[in-house]
Amino acid sequence: MGLFERYLSVWIGLAIVVGVGLGAWFPDAAASIAALEAAGINLPIAVLIWGMIFPMLLAVDFSSIGAIRQQPRTANQRPVDQQKFSRRTGF
């Protein structure tokens, strides 16, 4: 396990503490964020939830992102996973 996965509970706890602290120091910010909505949907929350779900939909392997610089490709090359996907689905 990597550093992030190993201490995930710590990161979540820190995020909660920071969020509570920011709410205490900037109480008007919560009202401003709550006012950003469309069709009854809070836009900042929608964007953050989408940001959590979208990588799972794509099955992103975050450990391989660092290797992108080591294996540059031209514009017409497609990654192996994408080639497998296109053969199975026709896309």
Side-chain angles (χ1 to χ4, degrees), residues 21-83:
L22 287 173
W25 289 323
F26 305 107
D28 295 334
S32 299
I33 292 171
L36 297 172
E37 68 175 45
I41 298 171
N42 186 298
L43 295 178
I45 299 298
V47 168
L48 293 172
I49 290 174
W50 185 249
M52 289 187 321
I53 293 173
F54 191 68
M56 290 184 282
L57 293 173
L58 296 177
V60 173
D61 180 13
F62 289 106
S63 63
S64 66
I65 291 177
I68 291 174
R69 287 189 217 135
Q70 297 169 355
Q71 297 178 345
R73 59 187 174 130
T74 61
N76 60 356
Q77 289 178 320
R78 293 179 2 192
V80 175
D81 290 339
Q82 189 177 2
Q83 291 172 359

Side-chain angles (χ1 to χ4, degrees), residues 7-19:
Y7 296 106
L8 184 60
S9 299
V10 174
W11 306 134
I12 292 171
L14 286 173
I16 291 170
V17 169
V18 168

